[in-house]
Amino acid sequence: MTVLNFDGIIPPIPTPFKDGRLACDHLAANVERWCQSEIVGLLALGSNGEYVYLSPEEKLKLVATVASAAPGDRTILAGTGCESTGETIRLTRACADRGAHVALVVTPCYYGGQMVPDVLIRHYETLADQSPIPILLYNVEKFTHVNLDPPIVARLSRHQNIIGIKDSSGNVAQLGAYLNQVEAGFKVLVGTASALYPALALGCDGGILALANVAPHACVAIHRLVRRGDHEAARQLQLTFLALNQAVTARYGVPGLKAALEMVGYYGGEPRPPLLPLAAADCRILYRIMADAGLELEVPA
Amino acid sequence: MTVLNFDGIIPPIPTPFKDGRLACDHLAANVERWCQSEIVGLLALGSNGEYVYLSPEEKLKLVATVASAAPGDRTILAGTGCESTGETIRLTRACADRGAHVALVVTPCYYGGQMVPDVLIRHYETLADQSPIPILLYNVEKFTHVNLDPPIVARLSRHQNIIGIKDSSGNVAQLGAYLNQVEAGFKVLVGTASALYPALALGCDGGILALANVAPHACVAIHRLVRRGDHEAARQLQLTFLALNQAVTARYGVPGLKAALEMVGYYGGEPRPPLLPLAAADCRILYRIMADAGLELEVPA
Amino acid sequence: MTVLNFDGIIPPIPTPFKDGRLACDHLAANVERWCQSEIVGLLALGSNGEYVYLSPEEKLKLVATVASAAPGDRTILAGTGCESTGETIRLTRACADRGAHVALVVTPCYYGGQMVPDVLIRHYETLADQSPIPILLYNVEKFTHVNLDPPIVARLSRHQNIIGIKDSSGNVAQLGAYLNQVEAGFKVLVGTASALYPALALGCDGGILALANVAPHACVAIHRLVRRGDHEAARQLQLTFLALNQAVTARYGVPGLKAALEMVGYYGGEPRPPLLPLAAADCRILYRIMADAGLELEVPA
Amino acid sequence: MTVLNFDGIIPPIPTPFKDGRLACDHLAANVERWCQSEIVGLLALGSNGEYVYLSPEEKLKLVATVASAAPGDRTILAGTGCESTGETIRLTRACADRGAHVALVVTPCYYGGQMVPDVLIRHYETLADQSPIPILLYNVEKFTHVNLDPPIVARLSRHQNIIGIKDSSGNVAQLGAYLNQVEAGFKVLVGTASALYPALALGCDGGILALANVAPHACVAIHRLVRRGDHEAARQLQLTFLALNQAVTARYGVPGLKAALEMVGYYGGEPRPPLLPLAAADCRILYRIMADAGLELEVPA
C-alpha cells in the first residue's frame, strides 16, 4: 500500500494533446522526467490539466497513464470534482480504480449564490463517506468564485476521509486560519508558488504548484530550505521565481504553462480550444522571464 | 420546417427528478401545461434546468422528451454550451438530432482570465460554422463571471448562423448597446424577468425568464401589452412580479423555483445535490410572496 | 417659497476651474445657458462636480453662485454628503443658507464593511432630523462601493424630511424595488442617462444625469415623450444617446464631460489634479461620438 | 534631526473622542503608554485613526499632540492623503509644521475608474516634489478599491522623496513583487498583522498594524524573532494573534479596535458617527478572543 506523502512539492501536470487528442506517450515521458526531481507526487486533472475540457473517458485514461508511468513512491492525485455530488462520487471511484491514491475535489461553483456552508459541507461529507480514497479539498476562488472559509474547512477536517486542502488563494491569513482551526494531521497545501515560501514558513505541509511543472527543482529546494531552517536562501529563491510564476499562472495561464514546458524540454503542445496557443510576442516575453529566473532553456529565443 | 419564433416569452424549464433520476413523465406533463399558455418556445438545459448536473445522455433524453411533448409551433431551445469548443459542437449536433431547433450556448468560463474577446469569438464562430442549427449566445455573468461585451456580440451577429443573444444581466444599458450595434434581424432577448418590461420597451424581442415557469400568463401579458402600446398596464404588471422573480432567482435559486412550481400545481421535485431543497421556513416566505403576486396557489400554506 | 420640482431633468453640473481656482463667472454663464433649456433644477457638488476636490469654502461659494444665477423656478440641489454625520449636518446647513433647496447626500463609504443598514439608517435619520432642507439620498455604488438596498430606502422614505433618492446604478430591478417599497410621494430619480427611458417608463419621476449637461434638450425630450406616452420616440432618442453617455461617464469621466462641454460651447476647463485633462486622441474620439449623436458642435474636429 | 526608523513596528493609532470632541489628554496618555513598548514610531491619521471624520484643524491638533507626547526617538507619521493633489500638498506641509516626520499618503480613489497609472504617478510625484517631508505610499484596496500595482510603485520608488510603501493587502505575492522591483533602500511595510510574520520573512522592513495598538509587545516580538532568525517562535506568535487581528480589523473595524483598547487599559472611547460603538454581544465575543490570545485584560468580562 502506498504511503501518502504531502510533505513536499507536487506539480499539477498539464494534459498533453496532439492533433486534438490525448498524447499519452508524451504524458508518460513527461511524468518520467518530472519524477527525476524529488517531487513527492503528481496531480492529474487539476486546473492546469484542463480538466474541464476532458471527457470522462479521457480523464480515466489520463489517470491510468500517470499512475503507471510514475514510480511507486510518488503520491498520485486526481482532480475528480464535478458540479453534482453524484457525478463526483462516480468519477472519484473510477479514478481510484485507475490508480489514483487521493482525489482532489474542487468546490462546485456554478450556482455560486447557493454554495452556502451547509451545501458545501453536505457535498464533501457525502462524497467522503462513499469514496474509496481520501479526499483533498480544493479551494481556488480565482476560477470558482467560491471560497472555503476556515470554519467550513475546520468542520470538514473532522471527517476521517478528508485529509487536507489545497488552497490556491495565496492568502496567508487564510492559510493561517486553516492551520489554527483544522484537526491535527490535516494537511494544508499551498496552491500557488507566489506564496510558497511564506506559506511553508507559516506551517503549511507542502505545495501543489503550476510552477513545479517548469521548475520542479527550485520548488523542491524552497521546501527543503525551509525544512532545514535556511530561511534566507528560501526567501531569495522565492523572490527569484515570482515573475515566472506570475507569467505561467495569472498572466498567460495554461497556454503560457505549455509554452514554458516546451522551453525547458518537456512536451507542451497546444491547449484545447477555446484556449489559444500563446502568441509569438508573448512567447518571447516568457522566454526572457524564464531566462531571467536562471532556468536552462533548451529552445533558442 | 419550424419557423423560429422569439417574439415572445420562453420559459427555461427546470429538470424534474424523482428518486434522483430524470422524471420524463413529469417533464412531459409540465411541458404540456406550459404550452397551454402562449409561450413561443421552451428552453431545455438552461441554468434553471440544472444542466451542469446532467450527464450527456440525460441531456439528450431531456431534449427528446421536450421536443416530442411540445406542440409543433413552439421553438425548442437546448442549452449546449460546454467548456471546450469540441464538446460544445458534439452536444449541439446531438441535441439537434433530438429535435432542438436552436442551441443556446453559454460562454465558456472556467479560465475566466483567458476568456478574452479573440478566444470567445473563435469559440462561437467555430461552433456556428459546424452547427446544424442556429446559435443563440447566452450571457449570464452571475454564473460565469464572464461578460459578452457589446463589440463581441456585434461581431458575432455578423455570422449567419448566430441569430441572437439571451442576456441575463438585467443591465438595460448593455441591452441598448446590443440593440444599437448588432446586425438587423439579430434577436436580443432579456434573460431575467426583473428587467422584462424595461427591456421590451427598449426594443428587445422577447424574454427567456425563470419566472415564466411559474407565471407564464403574466410574462406573456407583459409582452403583449408592450406590443400593443399599453405601457401603463405593462409597467404595473412588471412591478407586481418583481418580488416573486427576485425570490425564484437571486434569493432561492433553483430550489426556490422548484418549490414555486409545486405551489402552482406543476411537478417540481427536488434539485440534485449538492443543491438542497428549499427549507420549510423559506417555503412559507415564498408562499406568501406567491400569494401577494396574485397567483392561484394549489397547495395550502 | 420655492416649489420643489423633480418631475423632469436635472444636470449635475461640473465645477469650472481657471488656473486651478473656481471660475464663478464661467459657472454663472453656464448656469444661465443650461436654464434656457427646460431642466427643472441643477445639482451643484455632485460627483460630476468634483465635490471631493473642493474645500468647504469653495463648496459654499459654488452653491451661492448657482443659486443666484438660476431663475427662481428651478430647484437647486447641493451635494452635502461627507464621511461623518456631524460634518454632513454642518455642510447641509451652510448650503441651505447659501440658497440650496435640497441636499443630495451620498452614502458614507470609506469604512465600507461597517456601512451596515443600522449605520446608514442612523446617519440619514440624524441628518434629516437636523437639516433645514429636505434630504435626497444618493446611491452611487460605482464610486462608493456601498449600495442602499431597497429595505433601507423603504425605511428612510418614512422620514418626512427625506424626500427621495438619486440612484445611479442603472439597475432597473432595483429602481422597481424602490418604487414598490417606498412611501407615496417619495421621489425616485435615475442617476444615469444609460437607463433614462427605461427608468421613466418604469415609473421614476425624473433624472439627474451627467448627459444633461451636454445634451439637456435631448434629456428633457425623453422625459416629455414618456409623459406624453410616445414611447417609440423616447426609445429611439434613448438609443441615440447611449454611446455618448457611456463616453462622458464610464469611459472618460469628468475629464470627458468637461471636454464635451467645450465642444458644445459651454465653458469646460480642466479638471483638478490628480485628474488629467482628456488626451487629444480621446478628444477626437469623443468629438466623433458627439457628432454621431447629432449634437451641434461649436468647435471644429 | 530625527533618524527615521521603519525597521520595526508602528501602531496606526485611533483618535480618541470624548463627547464627540478630540480628547487630546487621553491621546497623550495613550501615546506615552504605547511608547513604553519598543515600537519605532506612531502613525496618526491612518484609517484606524478615523481620518476621514476629522476636520483639517483637528488633524493638525492631533499631529501636534502626538509629536509632543512621543519620545524624540520615535518616527511620527501623519496620514495626509486627500482626494485632490493640491489639498494633499497643503495638508502635508501643515502636518510637517506640526512635527510629522513622514507623510503617509493614501491613493486618491473616489473616481476609481480614472485612477490609472499616469494619474497616480503624477499625483505622487507632484506631491513628493513639494513636500518638506518624505512620502510613504499607502495602498489599502479594502477601503479605496484602488491598487498600486508593482510597476507603479517601482516607478515611484525612484523619486528620492518617496521612501517607501505601506501595503495593507496582506498579499505576499504583491509584497514580493514590490521587493523585487523597487529601488534599493525603499521601505516595504506590511499594513496588516494578518500577514506580519510571512511578510517579514519575505524581506519586508516592518509593519504598520492595527493590532499593534492592542498588542504592541507581541507585534514587536514577532519582528525581533524574525530578525534574530527564530522563525519557529515567530510563526507560533503569528498564529496566536490571527483571530484577534481579524476581530479588530475586518470583523469589527474601528469600533472593535476602540473596544479592545479599553479592555487592555487604554482610552478607547466611541467612534464618530456614523460608526456605532461595538454592540454588547460583540464586546463579549471580542473579550473572549482577547483572552484566548493571552492578553492581560484590565476589564472584567
Side-chain angles (χ1 to χ4, degrees):
Chain A
M1 184 198 150
T2 309
V3 177
L4 303 181
N5 186 357
F6 297 106
D7 188 24
I9 300 300
I10 296 171
I13 64 176
T15 297
F17 300 108
K18 189 165 173 69
D19 302 330
R21 281 200 291 254
L22 272 194
C24 287
D25 49 345
H26 288 303
L27 176 60
N30 280 353
V31 167
E32 283 162 30
R33 187 163 161 202
W34 279 311
C35 290
Q36 289 164 18
S37 73
E38 303 193 48
I39 56 171
V40 295
L42 297 110
L43 167 65
L45 306 176
S47 296
N48 288 289
E50 293 172 79
Y51 81 91
V52 295
Y53 297 154
L54 301 175
S55 70
E57 297 69 32
E58 290 175 320
K59 288 181 179 180
L60 299 182
K61 192 169 167 198
L62 196 140
V63 169
T65 303
V66 172
S68 68
D73 60 344
R74 309 301 165 98
T75 302
I76 306 300
L77 296 86
T80 66
C82 302
E83 284 288 334
S84 86
T85 306
E87 186 61 17
T88 304
I89 292 169
R90 280 187 290 280
L91 183 59
T92 300
R93 286 173 169 160
C95 285
D97 285 347
R98 273 16 168 243
H101 304 133
V102 177
L104 179 80
V105 182
V106 71
T107 49
C109 62
Y110 190 74
Y111 303 106
Q114 301 292 323
M115 295 300 108
V116 294
D118 281 356
V119 162
L120 292 167
I121 287 168
R122 199 176 77 157
H123 175 72
Y124 280 113
E125 290 185 344
T126 304
L127 166 65
D129 286 344
Q130 301 187 36
S131 169
I133 53 176
I135 302 303
L136 196 68
L137 309 174
Y138 179 21
N139 191 44
V140 59
E141 194 176 3
K142 175 173 74 162
F143 293 138
T144 64
H145 309 276
V146 166
N147 188 50
L148 285 173
D149 291 329
I152 299 175
V153 176
R155 158 74 184 263
L156 292 174
S157 76
R158 304 209 299 258
H159 194 294
Q160 66 171 17
N161 206 24
I162 302 178
I163 59 166
I165 185 168
K166 173 191 179 186
D167 176 47
S168 297
S169 69
N171 179 340
V172 289
Q174 178 157 286
L175 290 171
Y178 290 158
L179 290 167
N180 274 342
Q181 296 177 35
V182 297
E183 295 291 302
F186 188 85
K187 304 297 178 188
V188 178
L189 308 177
V190 59
T192 169
S194 70
L196 177 57
Y197 163 61
L200 295 175
L202 198 60
C204 288
D205 297 272
I208 303 181
L209 314 162
L211 182 66
N213 288 296
V214 179
H217 298 289
C219 294
V220 167
I222 290 174
H223 185 266
R224 299 222 162 150
L225 289 165
V226 173
R227 287 286 167 270
R228 189 187 302 157
D230 189 347
H231 282 261
E232 178 54 24
R235 182 185 85 78
Q236 287 183 20
L237 210 45
Q238 172 71 30
L239 293 177
T240 300
F241 280 90
L242 263 189
L244 175 53
N245 182 65
Q246 210 269 345
V248 296
T249 58
R251 196 182 338 169
Y252 297 131
V254 171
L257 180 58
K258 290 192 158 181
L261 277 179
E262 296 273 352
M263 293 179 198
V264 289
Y266 286 80
Y267 181 85
E270 298 198 348
R272 267 204 174 152
L275 291 183
L276 299 172
L278 197 65
D282 290 328
C283 273
R284 285 188 292 273
I285 296 172
L286 177 59
Y287 187 90
R288 175 56 33 216
I289 294 171
M290 299 273 286
D292 286 349
L295 292 178
E296 275 184 49
L297 303 183
E298 303 204 352
V299 173
Chain B
M1 185 195 148
T2 309
V3 177
L4 302 182
N5 186 357
F6 298 106
D7 188 24
I9 301 299
I10 296 171
I13 63 176
T15 297
F17 300 109
K18 190 165 173 71
D19 302 330
R21 283 201 290 253
L22 273 194
C24 286
D25 50 344
H26 288 304
L27 176 60
N30 279 355
V31 166
E32 283 163 28
R33 186 161 162 205
W34 279 313
C35 289
Q36 289 164 17
S37 73
E38 303 193 49
I39 55 171
V40 296
L42 297 111
L43 166 65
L45 305 177
S47 296
N48 288 289
E50 294 171 79
Y51 81 91
V52 294
Y53 298 154
L54 301 174
S55 70
E57 297 69 34
E58 289 175 321
K59 288 180 178 180
L60 299 182
K61 192 169 167 198
L62 196 141
V63 169
T65 302
V66 172
S68 69
D73 61 343
R74 309 301 165 99
T75 302
I76 306 300
L77 297 85
T80 66
C82 302
E83 284 288 333
S84 86
T85 306
E87 186 61 19
T88 304
I89 292 169
R90 281 187 289 278
L91 183 60
T92 300
R93 287 172 168 160
C95 285
D97 285 346
R98 277 10 171 243
H101 305 132
V102 177
L104 178 80
V105 182
V106 71
T107 49
C109 62
Y110 189 74
Y111 303 106
Q114 301 292 322
M115 295 299 109
V116 294
D118 281 356
V119 162
L120 293 166
I121 286 168
R122 200 177 77 158
H123 175 73
Y124 280 113
E125 290 185 345
T126 304
L127 167 65
D129 286 344
Q130 301 188 33
S131 169
I133 54 176
I135 302 303
L136 197 68
L137 308 174
Y138 179 20
N139 191 43
V140 59
E141 195 177 2
K142 175 174 73 161
F143 293 139
T144 64
H145 309 276
V146 166
N147 188 51
L148 285 172
D149 290 330
I152 299 174
V153 175
R155 159 75 185 263
L156 293 173
S157 76
R158 304 209 299 260
H159 193 294
Q160 66 172 14
N161 207 25
I162 301 178
I163 61 167
I165 185 169
K166 172 190 179 187
D167 176 46
S168 297
S169 69
N171 179 340
V172 289
Q174 179 157 286
L175 291 170
Y178 290 158
L179 291 166
N180 274 343
Q181 296 178 35
V182 297
E183 295 291 302
F186 188 83
K187 305 298 178 187
V188 179
L189 308 177
V190 60
T192 170
S194 69
L196 177 58
Y197 163 62
L200 295 174
L202 197 59
C204 287
D205 297 273
I208 304 181
L209 314 162
L211 183 66
N213 288 296
V214 179
H217 298 290
C219 294
V220 167
I222 290 173
H223 185 266
R224 298 220 163 152
L225 289 164
V226 174
R227 288 287 167 268
R228 189 187 302 157
D230 189 346
H231 283 261
E232 178 54 23
R235 182 185 84 79
Q236 288 183 19
L237 210 45
Q238 172 72 30
L239 293 178
T240 300
F241 280 90
L242 263 189
L244 175 53
N245 183 65
Q246 208 270 345
V248 297
T249 58
R251 197 184 336 171
Y252 297 131
V254 170
L257 180 57
K258 290 192 159 180
L261 277 179
E262 295 274 352
M263 292 180 198
V264 289
Y266 287 79
Y267 180 84
E270 297 198 349
R272 269 208 171 148
L275 290 183
L276 299 172
L278 196 65
D282 290 328
C283 273
R284 285 189 291 274
I285 296 171
L286 178 59
Y287 188 90
R288 174 57 31 216
I289 295 170
M290 300 273 285
D292 286 349
L295 292 178
E296 276 185 48
L297 303 183
E298 303 204 351
V299 173
Chain C
M1 184 196 149
T2 309
V3 177
L4 302 181
N5 186 357
F6 298 105
D7 188 23
I9 301 300
I10 296 171
I13 63 176
T15 297
F17 300 109
K18 191 167 174 67
D19 301 330
R21 283 200 291 253
L22 274 194
C24 287
D25 49 345
H26 288 303
L27 176 60
N30 280 354
V31 166
E32 282 162 29
R33 187 163 160 201
W34 280 311
C35 289
Q36 289 165 18
S37 72
E38 303 193 48
I39 56 171
V40 296
L42 298 111
L43 166 65
L45 305 177
S47 296
N48 288 288
E50 293 172 79
Y51 80 92
V52 294
Y53 297 154
L54 301 175
S55 70
E57 297 69 34
E58 289 175 323
K59 288 180 179 180
L60 299 182
K61 192 169 167 197
L62 196 141
V63 169
T65 303
V66 172
S68 69
D73 60 344
R74 310 300 165 99
T75 303
I76 306 300
L77 296 86
T80 65
C82 302
E83 284 288 333
S84 86
T85 307
E87 186 61 18
T88 304
I89 293 169
R90 279 187 290 279
L91 183 60
T92 301
R93 286 173 168 161
C95 285
D97 284 347
R98 276 10 169 246
H101 305 132
V102 177
L104 178 80
V105 182
V106 71
T107 49
C109 63
Y110 190 74
Y111 303 106
Q114 302 291 322
M115 295 299 109
V116 294
D118 281 356
V119 162
L120 292 166
I121 287 168
R122 200 177 77 158
H123 176 72
Y124 281 113
E125 290 184 345
T126 304
L127 167 65
D129 286 344
Q130 300 187 35
S131 169
I133 54 176
I135 303 302
L136 197 69
L137 308 174
Y138 179 21
N139 190 44
V140 59
E141 194 176 3
K142 174 173 72 161
F143 293 138
T144 63
H145 309 275
V146 166
N147 188 51
L148 284 173
D149 291 330
I152 299 174
V153 175
R155 159 75 185 264
L156 292 174
S157 77
R158 304 210 299 260
H159 193 293
Q160 66 170 16
N161 207 24
I162 302 178
I163 59 167
I165 185 168
K166 173 191 180 187
D167 176 47
S168 297
S169 69
N171 179 340
V172 288
Q174 178 157 287
L175 290 170
Y178 291 157
L179 290 167
N180 274 342
Q181 296 177 36
V182 298
E183 295 291 302
F186 188 85
K187 305 298 179 188
V188 178
L189 308 177
V190 59
T192 170
S194 69
L196 176 58
Y197 163 62
L200 294 174
L202 197 60
C204 288
D205 297 273
I208 303 181
L209 315 162
L211 182 66
N213 288 297
V214 178
H217 298 290
C219 294
V220 167
I222 290 174
H223 185 267
R224 298 221 162 151
L225 289 164
V226 174
R227 288 287 167 269
R228 189 188 300 157
D230 189 347
H231 283 260
E232 178 54 23
R235 181 184 83 78
Q236 287 183 20
L237 210 45
Q238 172 72 29
L239 292 178
T240 300
F241 280 90
L242 263 188
L244 175 53
N245 183 65
Q246 210 269 346
V248 296
T249 58
R251 197 185 336 172
Y252 296 131
V254 170
L257 180 57
K258 289 192 158 180
L261 277 179
E262 296 273 351
M263 293 180 198
V264 289
Y266 286 79
Y267 180 85
E270 298 198 348
R272 266 205 175 153
L275 291 182
L276 299 172
L278 197 64
D282 290 327
C283 272
R284 285 188 292 273
I285 296 171
L286 178 59
Y287 187 90
R288 174 55 34 214
I289 295 171
M290 300 273 285
D292 286 349
L295 292 179
E296 275 185 49
L297 303 183
E298 303 205 351
V299 172
Chain D
M1 184 197 149
T2 308
V3 177
L4 303 181
N5 186 357
F6 297 106
D7 188 24
I9 301 299
I10 296 171
I13 63 176
T15 297
F17 300 109
K18 189 165 174 70
D19 302 329
R21 281 200 291 253
L22 273 195
C24 286
D25 49 345
H26 289 302
L27 175 59
N30 280 354
V31 167
E32 284 162 27
R33 186 161 161 203
W34 279 311
C35 290
Q36 289 164 17
S37 72
E38 303 194 49
I39 56 171
V40 296
L42 298 111
L43 167 65
L45 305 176
S47 296
N48 288 289
E50 293 172 79
Y51 80 90
V52 294
Y53 297 155
L54 301 175
S55 69
E57 296 70 32
E58 289 175 321
K59 289 180 178 180
L60 300 182
K61 193 171 167 197
L62 196 140
V63 169
T65 303
V66 172
S68 68
D73 61 344
R74 309 300 166 99
T75 302
I76 306 300
L77 297 85
T80 65
C82 301
E83 284 288 334
S84 85
T85 306
E87 186 61 17
T88 304
I89 292 169
R90 280 188 289 279
L91 183 59
T92 300
R93 286 173 168 160
C95 285
D97 285 346
R98 274 15 169 242
H101 305 133
V102 177
L104 178 81
V105 182
V106 72
T107 49
C109 62
Y110 190 74
Y111 303 106
Q114 302 292 322
M115 294 300 108
V116 295
D118 281 356
V119 162
L120 292 167
I121 286 167
R122 200 176 76 157
H123 176 71
Y124 281 113
E125 290 185 346
T126 305
L127 167 65
D129 286 345
Q130 301 187 35
S131 169
I133 53 177
I135 302 302
L136 197 68
L137 308 174
Y138 179 21
N139 190 43
V140 59
E141 194 176 2
K142 175 172 75 161
F143 293 138
T144 63
H145 309 275
V146 166
N147 188 50
L148 285 173
D149 291 329
I152 299 174
V153 175
R155 159 75 185 263
L156 293 174
S157 76
R158 304 210 298 260
H159 193 293
Q160 65 171 18
N161 206 25
I162 301 179
I163 59 166
I165 185 168
K166 173 190 179 187
D167 176 46
S168 297
S169 69
N171 179 341
V172 288
Q174 178 157 287
L175 290 171
Y178 291 158
L179 290 167
N180 274 342
Q181 296 176 36
V182 297
E183 295 291 303
F186 189 83
K187 305 298 178 187
V188 178
L189 308 178
V190 59
T192 169
S194 70
L196 176 57
Y197 163 62
L200 295 175
L202 197 60
C204 288
D205 297 273
I208 304 180
L209 314 163
L211 182 67
N213 288 296
V214 179
H217 298 289
C219 294
V220 167
I222 290 173
H223 185 266
R224 298 222 163 151
L225 289 164
V226 174
R227 287 287 168 269
R228 190 187 301 158
D230 189 347
H231 282 261
E232 178 54 25
R235 183 185 83 80
Q236 288 183 19
L237 209 46
Q238 173 71 29
L239 293 178
T240 299
F241 280 91
L242 263 188
L244 175 54
N245 183 65
Q246 210 270 346
V248 297
T249 58
R251 197 182 337 170
Y252 297 131
V254 170
L257 180 57
K258 289 191 158 180
L261 277 179
E262 296 273 352
M263 293 180 199
V264 289
Y266 286 79
Y267 181 84
E270 298 198 347
R272 267 206 173 151
L275 291 183
L276 299 172
L278 197 65
D282 290 328
C283 274
R284 285 189 292 273
I285 296 171
L286 178 59
Y287 187 91
R288 173 56 33 216
I289 295 170
M290 300 272 286
D292 286 349
L295 292 178
E296 274 184 50
L297 303 182
E298 303 205 352
V299 173

